[in-house]
Structures are given as structure tokens and as C-alpha cells.
Amino acid sequence: MNPQAEELNRVIAEHNPAILEMLSERGKNIFFPKKGILGQTADAKGTRINATIGAAIEDDGSPMRLEAIASKIGLDPSLVFPYAPSFGRPDIRARWKSMIYEKNPSLGNREISLPVVTNALTHGISMAGYLFLDEGDEVILPDLFWGNYNLTLGNAYGARLTKFNFLKNGRFDLASFESQLNDGNIGKKVLLLNFPNNPSGYSPTIAEYNAIVEIIRESAESGNKIVAICDDAYFGLVYEKGIATESVFSALSGLHENVLAVKADGPTKEDYVWGFRVGFLTYSIKDGNAALYSALESKTAGAIRGNISNSANISQSLLLSAFNSPEYHKEKEAKFAIMKERYEAVKKVLSGGKYDSCFTALPFNSGYFMCVKLAEGLDGEEIRGLLIKKYSIGVINLNNLLRVAYAAVAAKDVKDLFEGIYSACLDCKK
Ligand SMILES: Cc1ncc(COP(=O)(O)O)c(C=O)c1O
């Protein structure tokens, strides 16, 4: 093992040996090379003649650039054309950290790591897999989950996705969650929670949120070492009262020495920048301190350096300028109002029970999506095809659940959308 990786492992073990048990073999071996090209370049910053990094510089010292590109961009070239660090730009990392505290007030003063920038959430989840999953390790997650976990965690790291029953009688199935978490031998457990959930659009009530946290606490007290990955892609889009608005990461952060909370989040959905490709990985554990977090950040940045090297500078700079804009919060509220209007339009159309003979809605209260469960005998694939051909309507079929991304549908079209699904169901019944 490289001595720099050994040193990071020593810092981690000295602080909390449970975390060393949670790391995968890859995770134990990785480190951010202090004396690599990036490290040596950082040492040379500010020198008179700097011939370190592989990026060209104009004679006036500014980044070399093509006018065809620069002329389209209002930002200073220094914020756009050079590489960003593998850890991410320090300014946006600090800002995102303070935003995590603002959005999750119950974190209080509990210390969390400095977020490391990833190439959006998919990549953050992949890097969490790199650090915490060995071939054959189990990932415990709800049976309604984002299908791309199969590729990011299953195909990429050989993890086994083990599902608990997510919803029962319109509620989070706490009993199924508890028994799956505690199934098998005491040891390392990797848990993946995604609220608001894709595909169902369900977030736990406050009581369920607290119960989920208690179940994790008891499991940790019994000796399990739990890596709790919180996929917060749709954070902030909660449309009903009584539903938890904070990330589970908040409550898990101070919970127990055996629970490492890993927050994968980012502006992709929160700030409507799907193509920007910026996300963050942030860590927290009870009594975590700066040295521990710095070691975890270095491992994460090392994994990123060996994978995509770094994320786009222009996206990070644009986002930071938006976060610092006085208009930012007002503009977000306006978009939230549009999303909520669409949510309410869906609730209204479904409220009469007109479609119940063909489909019923799974519980939903947040996010971008909702699902309808087709009545016995109806085939989701047939209906999906018919919807495209005859009604010019697109939905996703997930084993006879139809996932409806109402976030992408104007409120005025919501009725037509469900009427179309209903008609297609009736066509198929004939
Ligand atoms: C639950 C969930 N996590 C992560 C992602 C991916 O986010 P990103 O585009 O930031 O990689 C999605 C996107 O559909 C998602 O639904």
C-alpha cells in the first residue's frame, strides 16, 4: 500500500476505527497524491515563470482561449478555462457547506466535512461505491429505487442490491426496513436512502423520519457499522405539510460512532441545471473532527483524480455566482411555485377516483415524479406503447407501475395526460 494511503488510514483509524472497517479495499488504498502533478503545481502557484501544469497560458498570463468560445461567456476567463482542483473549487465547496447548514437547521453546530465536488450526483454515488463497496457487498435500499444504481453500484463495483419493501398501506414500511437492515450477521452495512424518492415521489413524514433514524441508531448500537448514503437529488421539493424537509443526513450526522452519513447532493435538480454536472459528497459522523474529514476528503479527491480528474470549472463558477446573487432565493421560490402547481394539478385530477378501475396512485408528496399502479390484467409495456402511438404521451413503465414525471408537464396539460393514460387502459381492456 502507498505510504500516503497508509497515513490517511492511520488518521481515520486513530479517530474512529469503525470507518476503516467501512472502507472498501479500493477505499483503503486510495489517496490524493501530495507530490503528484497537481500537488507540485499547487506548490508553484505565484511563481514568476510557471511551467508546471498542462494548460496553456497567453503571453499576458491569462488562460489561453479561443475567442469563438470566450466571446459567449460573461465570466472572467480565469473562472472558466483552467482546470478546477480535483476536490472542487474551494469557494463553491465552502458555499455549499454553508448552504447545507442553512437548508438543514437541525444540523446545528455539528461538524461535517467540506463537500468534495463530483461530476453531479451519479458520479458522487459512484465515488461512494468506489470508497465503500467491495465485490459482493450488499447495498440495502427500498424496492422502489432509481434504476441507475444497478449500473453505478451493481455493474461497477459488484455490489448486490438488497431491497426492503418501501411502501405499505400508503406509508413508509418501517418494519420491512428494520428487518432488512438487521438481517444477517452483525458487521458492515451499506444503506442507500433517497428522499424525495425516485420513482415514487414519496418522502417520509416527520414521524417516519424520526423512526427511520431510531432504527438506524438501534442497529448501530447492536454493533453494525453503517454507511448511510443519502441521495438527496430532489432535496427541497416537498409539497405537503408534515413531511420531513431536512435530509436524513442531518439526523444521522450526530447519531452514533458506527454511523457514517454520506450525503450525495447537488444543484442538478435543486437548481435546474441538469447539464452542468456538479454535485457534492459530504461526510459526517458523531464526534467527527477536521483531521478525520480531511482524510476522507483526500480519499474522495484521489478517487476523482483517478477517474475524471476534476469537474467542470465553468459550471462551478456559474453556480457560485448564482448562489451569491441577491435574486437567487426569489428565483428558486418562483420555480418551486410552478412545480407545486403541477403537483397540485395531479392531486386534483386523481382526487375524484375516476380512474380507479384502471390505475391508482402510489403515495406521493414531493420531488419530480409520481407512480400509478395498473389494475390487474393491464400490461404496462403495452400501455406505454399505445400512449406514444395513439395519444402522443410519454411515460416510463416500471413493471406495470407507470412513472409520471409531472415536473416536465405544464399544469394545464395534467388532465389530458391522465385522461390519455385512462383511455389507453380502456383500449387495452377491450
Ligand atoms: C435519485 C436520483 N439520484 C441521482 C440522479 C442523478 O443526478 P445527476 O444528474 O446529478 O447525476 C437522479 C437523476 O435522475 C436521480 O433520480
Side-chain angles (χ1 to χ4, degrees):
M1 187 181 287
N2 185 291
Q4 292 180 74
E6 272 172 6
E7 173 57 15
L8 295 177
N9 294 344
R10 190 194 58 73
V11 171
I12 290 170
E14 190 179 282
H15 190 82
N16 183 339
I19 300 179
L20 209 57
E21 286 181 48
M22 296 176 193
L23 287 170
S24 63
E25 283 310 304
R26 260 184 230 93
K28 290 192 183 94
N29 279 299
I30 196 69
F31 61 97
F32 187 78
K34 278 201 192 118
K35 288 290 166 206
I37 287 170
L38 297 188
Q40 294 184 40
T41 302
D43 289 345
K45 200 168 179 213
T47 48
R48 187 173 60 88
I49 299 173
N50 189 345
T52 50
I53 201 157
I57 303 290
E58 301 281 3
D59 288 350
D60 70 0
S62 69
M64 194 168 281
R65 57 200 181 275
L66 302 181
E67 199 44 33
I69 301 170
S71 62
K72 307 274 185 306
I73 302 168
L75 292 169
D76 188 280
S78 67
L79 300 173
V80 173
F81 292 93
Y83 288 123
S86 294
F87 290 80
R89 292 184 60 92
D91 46 13
I92 198 171
R93 296 179 70 199
R95 186 76 174 96
W96 192 258
K97 182 173 178 177
S98 71
M99 288 166 76
I100 290 178
Y101 282 105
E102 283 162 25
K103 296 174 192 175
N104 296 276
S106 73
L107 264 176
N109 297 325
R110 280 199 295 279
E111 200 44 62
I112 64 175
S113 75
L114 197 53
V116 174
V117 175
T118 60
N119 191 38
L121 278 93
T122 309
H123 181 237
I125 291 158
S126 168
M127 291 297 92
Y130 182 111
L131 294 169
F132 299 105
L133 289 169
D134 285 312
E135 182 89 25
D137 277 357
E138 221 180 35
V139 177
I140 301 165
L141 80 181
D143 59 357
L144 293 174
F145 65 93
W146 183 44
N148 202 17
Y149 298 147
N150 284 314
L151 297 184
T152 47
L153 304 177
N155 288 68
Y157 302 111
R160 289 177 295 130
L161 306 193
T162 305
K163 293 126 203 164
F164 63 88
N165 186 57
F166 184 36
L167 297 169
K168 188 176 179 191
N169 302 327
R171 289 304 180 94
F172 187 96
D173 190 344
L174 291 164
S176 176
F177 171 60
E178 181 166 23
S179 80
Q180 195 58 64
L181 182 60
N182 295 312
D183 189 47
N185 299 334
I186 295 285
K188 169 177 160 182
K189 307 268 176 184
V190 179
L191 178 63
L192 176 42
L193 294 173
N194 160 230
F195 305 126
N197 172 265
N198 176 3
S200 69
Y202 188 80
S203 290
T205 62
I206 291 164
E208 287 165 354
Y209 176 104
N210 292 334
I212 291 167
V213 172
E214 269 322 294
I215 288 168
I216 297 173
R217 182 205 303 278
E218 279 167 24
S219 184
E221 275 168 2
S222 74
N224 285 317
K225 314 277 189 304
I226 302 170
V227 181
I229 303 171
C230 308
D231 177 345
D232 291 343
Y234 300 91
F235 182 88
L237 295 166
V238 169
Y239 310 118
E240 297 282 353
K241 294 221 156 54
I243 305 302
T245 51
E246 290 198 25
S247 169
V248 198
F249 177 84
S250 282
L252 297 183
S253 71
L255 193 69
H256 195 280
E257 297 80 359
N258 283 349
V259 179
L260 177 67
V262 181
K263 184 171 177 27
D265 64 6
T268 306
K269 320 271 180 179
E270 285 191 47
D271 296 300
Y272 313 101
V273 289
W274 308 273
F276 275 35
R277 312 316 295 150
V278 172
F280 300 88
L281 266 189
T282 310
Y283 301 98
S284 191
I285 191 159
K286 187 165 186 230
D287 300 330
N289 67 5
L292 170 71
Y293 291 138
S294 165
L296 288 171
E297 289 160 28
S298 291
K299 283 188 175 285
T300 310
I304 291 170
R305 174 68 175 146
N307 175 260
I308 57 158
S309 192
N310 52 76
S311 295
N313 203 348
I314 184 171
S315 300
Q316 296 178 56
S317 297
L318 274 171
L319 283 161
L320 183 65
S321 85
F323 298 154
N324 290 334
S325 156
E327 305 304 320
Y328 172 69
H329 287 291
K330 213 168 61 198
E331 288 177 16
K332 267 195 87 164
E333 277 165 26
K335 299 301 177 201
F336 178 84
I338 295 171
M339 302 288 269
K340 188 160 189 247
E341 186 193 8
R342 292 174 184 177
Y343 165 81
E344 280 164 357
V346 176
K347 283 273 161 176
K348 187 165 168 224
V349 165
L350 296 176
S351 64
K354 172 177 174 186
Y355 310 126
D356 289 3
S357 61
C358 290
F359 58 82
T360 47
L362 296 192
F364 66 108
N365 50 32
S366 54
Y368 276 30
F369 309 106
M370 58 84 62
C371 287
V372 297
K373 185 172 168 23
L374 295 174
E376 204 64 39
L378 287 170
D379 177 63
E381 205 39 35
E382 193 186 347
I383 289 171
R384 187 182 74 83
L386 191 62
L387 276 170
I388 293 174
K389 277 199 205 81
K390 186 168 171 191
Y391 298 95
S392 193
I393 289 173
V395 296
I396 302 290
N397 169 41
L398 304 164
N399 298 324
N400 292 344
L401 280 184
L402 298 184
R403 189 191 76 173
V404 176
Y406 62 84
V409 178
K412 68 172 175 42
D413 294 330
V414 163
K415 185 151 196 302
D416 272 6
L417 165 66
F418 285 95
E419 284 290 315
I421 299 175
Y422 183 53
S423 301
C425 291
L426 293 179
D427 291 343
C428 288
K429 276 189 172 183
K430 279 181 197 153

